[in-house]
Amino acid sequence: MEFINLKRQYQEMKSDIDRSIQNVLNNTNFIMGNEVEKFEEELAQYVGVKYCISCSDGTAALQLIYMAYNIGTGDAVFCPDMTFIASIEPVCMLGATPVFCDIDSVTYNIDPTSLRKQIEAVLLEGKLKPRAIVAVDFLGNPASFKELRALADQYGLLLIEDAAQAMGAQYYGKMCGSLGDVAATSFFPTKPLGCYGDGGAVFTNDLGFAEIIRSLRVHGKGKTKYDNLRIGINSRLDTIQASILHVKLKYLAREIEERQQIAKNYDTNLRERLVVPKVEDGCISAFAQYILKASSGEERKQIIDGLKETGIPTILYYPNTLSHLPVFCDMSKYSDTCDDAYNYSQTAFGIPFYPYLSLSEQENIINNIIRMV
Ligand SMILES: *Cc1c(COP(=O)(O)O)cnc(C)c1O
């Protein structure tokens, strides 16, 4: 059994995808072909924003956003302690300082109470200027945008949505990718909307900002590639990837629906034995992963080892909080030690989950877990 079986998904869409790729090959317009702009328009419409600017990957999407807002030395950027390093990695490269906040013990998203504490601690210390909040829709589950928007407004911070795991998810009827001042996503193959290599995008309703991002992704270009206005990077989405994403976007809504069915089946059968994921009222999770929490690290190990023996893979997503990573462990913790994020890192594990997982496979996984706890 595979953790995420992309072969089945490809078989489902094969003729459409093969035709799309062949079309790009016939036209040989590999860089910024028509398919790129077409896909950007389709995805902007799906997400419900005015502008979608595609780029080379999700990390670059975040980097472009930080660059466009001139985030750099002396700036503080607040992010959840439990996320992938890419959420704030570009912040560090640009010379700014990430400040880690605890997660909510139930939704696993950034905890607004911890966020407020950390902002106040940074202000009290007086060395860094709070600039931005990175709200990660962790595991595809929308962050608490109502509370985060209030904090962003109160402290004059930019609200950046990291929707890398959340294409297709919704927050009170609005799509993830449309919930911050600006948003980033990733098309890494195993994300809810994945391509067949690397890819990413930035979302915004602000035309001026969209133009800066478009310039930055091609060496800071002006009207042409050779009248450069600023220092940028090379970060375009390949035409072949755009042609694949055009096909896969048509299947996304149906896949999100299938993800809800599988999550519901897991929830119903496992909620009395382990902690199952909590999606707040008014939200639809993209379930990029289905994560269970054991009562202890020992219980988690016992379940993972037992499943491995029966050929069922699991994943630790993620085994370390950011503040425990070797690269960050000496940084200031400010006023919060992020205990819920640490507890999550020690007890959470993911089980196989993807839209084409059969009912009998789901039952096999459920029965094997029940046998052990
Ligand atoms: C995957 C991911 C990214 C980075 O995306 P890449 O396309 O791999 O660069 C950023 N943030 C989060 C939360 C992610 O899951």
Side-chain angles (χ1 to χ4, degrees), residues 19 37 43 53 99 102 104 109 114 154 160 171 175 219 226 244 247 290 294 296 301 315 327 340 342 357 362 372:
R19 201 178 325 112
E37 205 180 312
L43 189 59
I53 305 99
V99 178
D102 206 359
D104 182 277
N109 274 315
S114 172
Q154 182 188 342
I160 301 169
Y171 181 81
M175 304 302 289
H219 308 283
Y226 304 118
I244 292 164
V247 174
Y290 187 89
S296 66
K301 184 169 183 328
I315 200 171
V327 62
D340 285 316
Y342 182 73
L357 190 66
Q362 293 167 44
M372 284 182 286

Side-chain angles (χ1 to χ4, degrees), residues 80-314:
D81 198 25
M82 176 46 64
T83 178
F84 184 44
I85 187 172
S87 297
I88 43 79
E89 198 177 12
V91 163
C92 309
M93 291 184 70
L94 293 167
T97 305
V99 178
F100 308 120
C101 306
D102 206 359
I103 58 169
D104 182 277
S105 63
V106 173
T107 65
Y108 313 143
N109 274 315
I110 191 168
D111 171 15
T113 308
S114 172
L115 173 60
R116 181 190 292 281
K117 268 207 245 172
Q118 298 296 65
I119 297 171
E120 288 290 346
V122 167
L123 287 172
L124 188 67
E125 186 199 41
K127 286 190 189 150
L128 298 171
K129 183 175 176 354
R131 287 290 309 278
I133 301 165
V134 188
V136 181
D137 301 315
F138 191 55
L139 310 170
N141 195 17
S144 312
F145 280 93
K146 194 164 152 273
E147 291 80 2
L148 297 176
R149 167 53 65 201
L151 287 170
D153 288 350
Q154 182 188 342
Y155 292 99
L157 307 177
L158 180 73
L159 183 57
I160 301 169
E161 180 183 11
D162 179 349
Q165 306 177 359
M167 283 294 95
Q170 289 184 35
Y171 181 81
Y172 294 96
K174 289 181 76 183
M175 304 302 289
C176 282
S178 72
L179 302 169
D181 294 313
V182 59
T185 198
S186 163
F187 307 125
F188 186 84
T190 53
K191 306 272 161 136
L193 179 61
C195 61
Y196 290 173
D198 277 310
V202 174
F203 301 102
T204 177
N205 284 316
D206 182 325
L207 175 62
F209 180 73
E211 278 173 355
I212 295 173
I213 297 279
R214 282 200 188 100
S215 163
L216 286 170
R217 85 171 157 183
V218 186
H219 308 283
K221 79 185 191 70
K223 284 205 173 57
T224 76
K225 196 174 162 185
Y226 304 118
D227 61 346
N228 315 69
L229 302 172
R230 49 177 73 81
I231 295 298
I233 56 177
N234 177 15
S235 176
R236 296 167 296 230
L237 180 70
D238 291 345
T239 310
I240 287 183
Q241 300 302 344
S243 78
I244 292 164
L245 286 161
H246 159 74
V247 174
K248 291 190 70 175
L249 182 57
K250 292 192 280 188
Y251 291 81
L252 181 59
R254 196 199 308 166
E255 289 187 349
I256 293 289
E257 187 46 46
E258 284 172 42
R259 286 174 188 270
Q260 309 308 309
Q261 299 303 326
I262 301 169
K264 203 163 144 196
N265 190 26
Y266 279 162
D267 285 352
T268 312
N269 289 288
L270 297 171
R271 68 159 49 99
E272 271 156 36
R273 320 249 175 176
L274 292 160
V275 181
V276 299
K278 164 90 175 151
V279 181
E280 296 277 348
D281 291 343
C283 296
I284 298 174
S285 175
F287 285 106
Q289 307 283 341
Y290 187 89
I291 300 290
L292 292 163
K293 235 165 70 170
S295 57
S296 66
E298 295 78 63
E299 187 188 43
R300 175 174 78 174
K301 184 169 183 328
Q302 178 208 324
I303 298 169
I304 289 174
D305 291 348
L307 288 176
K308 197 171 174 192
E309 272 170 32
T310 62
I312 298 171
T314 53

